[in-house]
Amino acid sequence: MMKQLIFFGFLLVIVSCKKKSTTWNADWAAPLIADTLKLTNLYNDSTLTTSNQTTIDVDLSRTILDIGLSNLLKIPDTTISQIYSPAFSFANIPPGTNFANTIEEHVLDLNDVQLKKIRVSEGTIKVTVYNPLTTKVYYTVQLPGVSKNGSIFEQTYFVDGGSIVQPTTSQEELNLAGYNIDLTGETGMNYNRLQSKVIIKTDENGPAISVTTQHDFKFEGEISGIKIDYAKGYFGSQVFSDTSNLIIPQLNSITGGLLDIPNSNLTFTIENGMKVALKAKLTSAQNTSASNNTIGLNSSNIGSDFYISQAIGNWENLQPALNQIEFNALNSNIEQYLENLGAEHKIGYQLQLNPWGNVSGGADEIFPNSRIKAKVNFQMPLQVGADGLTLRDTFNFDLSQDPTKIHANSGVVTLHATNAFPVSCEPVLYFMDENNFVLHTVIASTQISSSNLGTLNPASGLKEKKSQVEFILPTDLVNDLNKIKYVVVEGRFDTPTPSTGINEIQTIPFGAFLAVKLNVKLNGTIVY
Amino acid sequence: MMKSIYIFFFFTVSLGYSQSWLPVQHDTLLDKKHEFIFSGTADYASTSLHKSLTQKLFYGGEITEHLKEKSLKLHTGINRFGSDLNTEIEYRNYTASLFKQSRWGFVVKTGYFSFINALYSKDLYELTFYGNQNYLGDTASLSGTKFSGMTFQKLGVGWLDKKSKSSVSLNIYSVNSYTSAKVRSAEIYQSSAIDTLVISYLGSTQFTSSNDFFSGLGVGIDADIRFAVPTKNNAPIYYQFMAKNIGIALFNNPLTTYEADTSITFAGLTFNQVLNGSSFLDSNYAVLDSLGIQKNQINPVVFLPGFLQFSKLVDANSTRKLQEFYGARLFLASAFTPLVFAGADYRIIVGKKGTLNIGVNAGYGGFSHFRFGTYSSFRIKNWNLGVASENIFGKTGQSIIFRAQCAF
């Protein structure tokens, strides 16, 4: 009997333990996305504009070059040095005697640039003085022509006594920002000349001392990190050439089809904000599409020199000079160039300062707000003709599930769209593994229809067309969720004319939108 | 293994050795020094959950559409479910004289209890087992849902009246786990176009953060009071008032509590939220915050799922072979309605020293409605063994009770 008792007790324990999972299937539904795509969402650098609240214009402006004084002129780090050695020996010089007072010029090595005047925005000078006397000496360092707010640069140092073999030094680093530097030298007729002057005075309270020809009174100035924001002189005939890359990443998503756009103009504008004559040349322009098709812009404007006058005015009222090069259907293959849908544009250019030499007599001026800019401007009405134009984009995907826990079996994602664009779209989803191998392809049940197939909504003043598109997610796909690492969304776009069904250029109306509501129905298994 | 269990239950319950309600056979002539009582109960019942579905929940397996439909047909607006799983060993000492009173002995007992109590709406059943697609364009109401579950151990010592067999014990409890949820009002609306989901919710849930053996400490009492009512012509009628686990418990660590009084309308994420990953699904904290759910830590005093029963006992020494018994029962749980029961006991003499009692019973209330059961107990020498089922024909529950008494 006791055995039976134990057995029954054991049974009670067994009964209370679950031996395997409990499972059942249930059907769930939930909204996923509700949003409206408007062109205002895509405004970028005033890319889209409207002048009449009815139609939209593409006004694409990009600056491909923007240089200023710091890009043109570099003042090298320079050390200026001045030594005074007496020609005769003097015995018992009384205290407080000035015995040196000279000006020296130091030439800056600026190649063919001839600067007469500059203003320092950044930079320092490290001043070092050496005292070979055994008594204290006053050193007054002056930089004639270097001034700030009307005051000449001047620093005085009271240096302890040293010896001829081991002179005492005094050192100080000073900020030169804001100093104007006259580089015309003592005569006022030169250029690139920096002046210095040292005054030496014995200690007024010290003893009488002797100065011999072996005493070297030395001053050093290490000028470094100089940046200038104003310069006057002759800046040479420098030539700049480069190739600018203009990337439009959205166009990389185009994998096929044709896009027809209306005749448009492409304008390059060179803006000269410096009081220097300028010669410019576009050396090349080409773009490469996502399918690696490269096309160059052919025009007589490519490779031709054109000249830009110097800016007029001074300082605050400086007015740049402009020169525009226009590419249109008459002088170039601009339409073919644009319809290549190149995502990467390479634009080569060359600039030369003072193409005729120093014709201003060294009166070139560059102000703090002086810039040389090159801009690309593209304008057209927002009209597109798409014929199987296929855009594709890839998104990371990370949605794993454990079949031993609550998991989905299959589902349907439904897209309710209200389309006010005269463009239809046939979406396809590709589900890929980590090696970009397509595991599953889900084709939409129908297309998102063009608004041209819809009716006029008096409230919005736009033609609108509603579509319901379903994406079936079969069991096989859901079972592979753990393997799926990327989802490719591909859309094939057309712009059909309702009466003919032929894809033609359509005008995108002002206020066009695509309202999207996305929901999901899932069959899942609850595992308890 | 499960088939073996079912077969065992079938034979023990159906072939004549079971005893309905397993009424205590009060034997005033029993004069022993020691008595051990081992009892075990495995009982679940529901107004609406078909036992075929409940068995899947307990033992595992797939709940098919057919099983779900069978239960769905039984559901009404408000539905109840409960389960009581316990086992207990009690020792009664008739030789000691407690507090120097020769009539008083003492009792020592220990046991394990697991109790689940649920009150829920039909909509909650449908949402759980069918999902929300049946409610597109409609509102699912979860209001009034209550759930509690507790597992605990008991150790008790107490006073025993040797003559009447009455006893009262003071118990301490070790709580293993505790979960409680109350939904005062909750509605889920899904638009037929599946573009709007509205959830309004007022409720709270709290639970122990671990299932440690000793998550909480409780105190309580058991009482088994028996008394005789004299009759004019016959032997006295014996009644029993029984109370078990009447007490409270506190927890070692605060309970994790989630409370919400919120209404949420969700129409979908924006493209920016999806592409920038800034949706409310970003982090758990953000989820709770955006849903208006407050997480707290509290340490409440909770009541144990106490048990009360008043019943007429079967007199083991009666000259009548056929006796009636009846009574009423109550669990201190929201889903348990007062249960009344009645039955008949028939005594058969087996051999020279054996006695076999068989009986039938019926009850109404509790976690379900009508229940019918049978029982049998066999008494020989110092042993009394009984097996019962209180719900032998029910669609929505199962019951097995076992008791072994040994007095020497």
Side-chain angles (χ1 to χ4, degrees):
Chain A
M1 183 57 73
M2 185 56 70
K3 287 183 179 178
Q4 290 175 347
L5 279 173
I6 294 171
F7 178 64
F8 189 76
F10 178 70
L11 277 177
L12 278 177
V13 174
I14 292 295
V15 168
S16 67
C17 297
K18 279 166 56 66
K19 303 306 290 182
K20 58 181 178 179
S21 297
T22 301
T23 63
W24 68 89
N25 289 344
D27 297 308
W28 297 92
L32 287 180
I33 293 174
D35 206 349
T36 299
L37 294 175
K38 298 177 183 175
L39 289 178
T40 51
N41 296 345
L42 304 177
Y43 276 22
N44 175 23
D45 297 337
S46 302
T47 302
L48 300 179
T49 61
T50 181
S51 56
N52 54 14
Q53 302 290 302
T54 303
T55 58
I56 303 170
D57 294 321
V58 177
D59 187 357
L60 180 68
S61 292
R62 294 288 186 274
T63 298
I64 60 173
L65 174 70
D66 184 0
I67 59 176
L69 178 56
S70 61
N71 304 100
L72 298 176
L73 289 177
K74 307 284 186 190
I75 305 295
D77 291 350
T78 303
T79 298
I80 57 176
S81 178
Q82 188 172 357
I83 299 174
Y84 169 71
S85 297
F88 306 99
S89 296
F90 304 98
N92 296 323
I93 293 175
T97 300
N98 289 332
F99 57 90
N101 188 356
T102 60
I103 292 179
E104 281 195 16
E105 287 186 350
H106 313 275
V107 179
L108 300 177
D109 183 10
L110 299 174
N111 298 320
D112 63 340
V113 175
Q114 301 169 3
L115 293 180
K116 292 183 174 178
K117 190 175 181 182
I118 60 174
R119 188 174 75 175
V120 178
S121 59
E122 256 180 62
T124 59
I125 180 169
K126 186 189 287 182
V127 177
T128 309
V129 292
Y130 298 82
N131 179 16
L133 296 178
T134 55
T135 60
K136 291 184 176 180
V137 171
Y138 289 96
Y139 273 75
T140 298
V141 177
Q142 289 183 350
L143 299 178
V146 178
S147 63
K148 186 176 183 180
N149 300 326
S151 302
I152 297 292
F153 180 95
E154 180 180 295
Q155 296 292 323
T156 298
Y157 306 95
F158 191 39
V159 188
D160 289 338
S163 66
I164 293 173
V165 177
Q166 195 168 7
T168 304
T169 62
S170 180
Q171 195 173 68
E172 186 179 14
E173 186 170 279
L174 300 165
N175 188 0
L176 287 178
Y179 276 91
N180 292 294
I181 302 178
D182 185 341
L183 297 170
T184 58
E186 282 190 88
T187 64
M189 300 297 287
N190 260 314
Y191 50 83
N192 298 349
R193 299 290 199 276
L194 190 62
Q195 305 169 63
S196 67
K197 178 181 177 182
V198 180
I199 301 169
I200 302 163
K201 181 182 176 183
T202 58
D203 186 3
E204 295 167 333
N205 301 316
I209 59 169
S210 296
V211 177
T212 70
T213 56
Q214 294 184 338
H215 286 100
D216 290 336
F217 298 91
K218 185 179 176 185
F219 141 74
E220 281 180 355
E222 294 177 39
I223 299 171
S224 60
I226 295 294
K227 290 183 179 176
I228 58 177
D229 59 4
Y230 169 78
K232 184 176 181 179
Y234 169 63
F235 303 119
S237 296
Q238 299 180 65
V239 176
F240 306 90
S241 62
D242 201 356
T243 299
S244 283
N245 286 340
L246 178 64
I247 307 294
I248 307 174
Q250 292 82 357
L251 295 180
N252 257 331
S253 303
I254 297 175
T255 59
L258 299 172
L259 178 68
D260 192 10
I261 59 176
N263 289 335
S264 310
N265 295 340
L266 184 68
T267 304
F268 284 88
T269 302
I270 307 295
E271 181 180 303
N272 182 12
M274 300 178 180
K275 296 186 76 171
V276 185
L278 192 65
K279 183 173 77 175
K281 178 166 63 178
L282 278 175
T283 56
S284 65
Q286 65 178 43
N287 72 51
T288 303
S289 68
S291 55
N292 270 332
N293 185 39
T294 300
I295 189 165
L297 180 60
N298 299 322
S299 169
S300 57
N301 285 331
I302 300 290
S304 299
D305 290 332
F306 52 95
Y307 298 89
I308 304 111
S309 308
Q310 64 178 14
I312 58 174
N314 292 290
W315 296 99
E316 307 303 329
N317 61 0
L318 189 69
Q319 293 182 20
L322 302 176
N323 198 321
Q324 289 187 330
I325 310 169
E326 184 175 290
F327 296 89
N328 54 43
L330 297 176
N331 68 4
S332 70
N333 62 337
I334 184 65
E335 190 172 353
Q336 185 187 4
Y337 177 82
L338 293 174
E339 288 179 355
N340 189 48
L341 303 174
E344 182 180 8
H345 293 247
K346 292 182 176 178
I347 300 166
Y349 60 87
Q350 188 182 80
L351 299 173
Q352 184 182 13
L353 302 178
N354 290 311
W356 302 289
N358 189 4
V359 295
S360 68
D364 298 347
E365 276 186 294
I366 301 178
F367 298 93
N369 55 345
S370 293
R371 313 294 298 179
I372 295 175
K373 294 181 181 178
K375 296 178 180 176
V376 181
N377 181 252
F378 169 68
Q379 282 186 315
M380 73 166 197
L382 188 55
Q383 298 174 340
V384 292
D387 186 1
L389 181 71
T390 306
L391 273 66
R392 176 184 283 195
D393 208 348
T394 304
F395 300 91
N396 292 330
F397 186 87
D398 184 13
L399 191 64
S400 58
Q401 62 175 357
D402 184 349
T404 64
K405 298 178 180 175
I406 296 175
H407 61 273
N409 300 316
S410 61
V412 179
V413 175
T414 305
L415 170 69
H416 295 271
T418 303
N419 188 11
F421 287 96
V423 180
S424 65
C425 175
E426 292 177 9
V428 181
L429 303 177
Y430 299 96
F431 296 85
M432 303 193 302
D433 64 12
E434 58 189 1
N435 298 316
N436 293 319
F437 180 75
V438 176
L439 299 173
H440 300 277
T441 301
V442 176
I443 301 172
S445 60
T446 183
Q447 65 171 206
I448 301 171
S449 299
S450 161
S451 63
N452 279 341
L453 301 176
T455 55
L456 183 68
N457 181 347
S460 65
L462 299 170
K463 272 189 169 182
E464 296 175 8
K465 177 65 177 174
K466 293 184 185 298
S467 304
Q468 178 176 326
V469 183
E470 290 187 346
F471 300 88
I472 308 294
L473 307 177
T475 303
D476 289 348
L477 188 156
V478 177
N479 287 344
D480 281 345
L481 276 183
N482 293 356
K483 300 177 187 172
I484 295 170
K485 300 301 175 191
Y486 305 103
V487 175
V488 174
V489 180
E490 182 181 280
R492 183 182 186 278
F493 294 89
D494 291 302
T495 51
T497 298
S499 56
T500 63
I502 298 173
N503 291 321
E504 296 176 314
I505 288 183
Q506 307 289 344
T507 299
I508 308 296
F510 178 76
F513 66 89
L514 175 64
V516 172
K517 287 185 177 179
L518 202 64
N519 66 57
V520 63
K521 288 182 179 177
L522 282 178
N523 174 266
T525 298
I526 311 296
V527 181
Y528 161 68
Chain B
M1 175 57 78
M2 297 314 301
K3 284 185 179 177
S4 303
I5 294 170
Y6 292 138
I7 292 169
F8 175 80
F9 281 176
F10 179 79
F11 277 92
T12 54
V13 171
S14 303
L15 296 186
Y17 292 98
S18 62
Q19 180 173 340
S20 165
W21 245 259
L22 213 55
V24 173
Q25 295 180 34
H26 185 72
D27 188 349
T28 55
L29 301 179
L30 185 69
D31 185 18
K32 300 292 183 182
K33 296 178 180 177
H34 307 279
E35 184 178 14
F36 284 93
I37 304 170
F38 170 79
S39 61
T41 301
D43 187 315
Y44 69 86
S46 169
T47 55
S48 318
L49 283 178
H50 197 280
K51 63 184 180 184
S52 57
L53 188 146
T54 310
Q55 284 169 357
K56 296 292 183 183
L57 289 175
F58 281 173
Y59 311 135
E62 183 186 359
I63 298 174
T64 62
E65 293 300 313
H66 176 64
L67 294 186
K68 290 194 283 188
E69 285 297 319
K70 282 207 297 188
S71 287
L72 181 62
K73 289 175 182 173
L74 298 173
H75 274 76
T76 58
I78 296 295
N79 308 276
R80 304 194 303 271
F81 174 83
S83 79
D84 174 26
L85 181 68
N86 69 70
T87 179
E88 191 172 7
I89 298 174
E90 182 176 337
Y91 167 67
R92 294 180 169 223
N93 186 303
Y94 296 94
T95 60
S97 296
L98 195 64
F99 303 123
K100 298 181 180 178
Q101 298 291 324
S102 60
R103 187 174 160 173
W104 293 359
F106 69 88
V107 61
V108 178
K109 60 176 67 174
T110 184
Y112 170 85
F113 300 83
S114 175
F115 187 81
I116 293 173
N117 165 63
L119 201 63
Y120 63 95
S121 67
K122 181 183 179 183
D123 289 351
L124 178 60
Y125 172 82
E126 285 202 69
L127 279 179
T128 304
F129 288 99
Y130 289 91
N132 69 337
Q133 282 195 32
N134 288 350
Y135 286 89
L136 297 182
D138 201 356
T139 300
S141 173
L142 314 182
S143 300
T145 296
K146 291 180 181 176
F147 172 85
S148 67
M150 182 183 265
T151 58
F152 55 94
Q153 285 86 35
K154 175 172 75 176
L155 179 63
V157 295
W159 161 86
L160 170 68
D161 180 52
K162 297 174 184 175
K163 184 177 180 183
S164 68
K165 315 298 184 192
S166 297
S167 67
V168 175
S169 68
L170 179 64
N171 311 317
I172 59 171
Y173 298 88
S174 167
V175 179
N176 302 140
S177 65
Y178 172 76
T179 303
S180 172
K182 292 178 183 175
V183 181
R184 295 179 186 87
S185 67
E187 289 186 339
I188 301 174
Y189 167 76
Q190 298 98 163
S191 62
S192 55
I194 323 177
D195 57 1
T196 306
L197 183 64
V198 181
I199 301 172
S200 61
Y201 179 85
L202 170 60
S204 65
T205 182
Q206 54 189 214
F207 50 86
T208 48
S209 52
S210 71
N211 285 332
D212 295 341
F213 178 80
F214 189 64
S215 294
L217 180 67
V219 294
I221 60 167
D222 286 355
D224 179 356
I225 308 299
R226 303 178 189 188
F227 56 93
V229 176
T231 59
K232 288 182 179 178
N233 302 322
N234 300 319
I237 300 173
Y238 294 96
Y239 290 97
Q240 179 195 44
F241 171 74
M242 186 159 56
K244 280 190 173 183
N245 304 326
I246 307 299
I248 58 174
L250 279 167
F251 297 92
N252 299 334
N253 297 308
L255 301 183
T256 302
T257 302
Y258 292 96
E259 288 181 288
D261 181 1
T262 185
S263 180
I264 302 155
T265 299
F266 178 67
L269 303 172
T270 65
F271 285 114
N272 276 339
Q273 287 173 320
V274 173
L275 296 177
N276 299 331
S278 58
S279 72
F280 67 84
L281 300 174
D282 280 353
S283 68
N284 291 334
Y285 178 78
V287 169
L288 297 180
D289 201 38
S290 62
L291 297 182
I293 297 174
Q294 295 178 330
K295 183 181 178 182
N296 295 308
Q297 300 284 327
I298 63 169
N299 202 340
V301 176
V302 299
F303 287 97
L304 300 172
F307 170 87
L308 299 169
Q309 179 172 294
F310 181 81
S311 61
K312 174 191 176 296
L313 301 177
V314 172
D315 183 357
N317 302 306
S318 172
T319 55
R320 294 164 56 202
K321 288 187 176 180
L322 181 63
Q323 293 184 62
E324 77 287 354
F325 62 91
Y326 48 82
R329 174 189 297 179
L330 182 66
F331 269 106
L332 301 180
S334 57
F336 194 93
T337 60
L339 181 146
V340 292
F341 61 88
D345 175 273
Y346 186 75
R347 186 172 68 237
I348 303 169
I349 303 300
V350 179
K352 294 181 179 178
K353 296 183 178 179
T355 304
L356 175 67
N357 289 74
I358 58 174
V360 294
N361 61 73
Y364 182 81
F367 290 121
S368 62
H369 301 303
F370 278 109
R371 307 212 298 180
F372 298 95
T374 63
Y375 71 82
S376 67
S377 72
F378 184 64
R379 181 178 176 185
I380 185 168
K381 295 183 179 177
N382 296 332
W383 288 90
N384 188 338
L385 305 174
V387 178
S389 172
E390 296 184 354
N391 194 2
I392 197 164
F393 301 121
K395 293 180 181 177
T396 58
Q398 286 183 296
S399 164
I400 181 72
I401 301 169
F402 175 83
R403 187 168 65 226
Q405 287 175 271
C406 177
F408 54 90

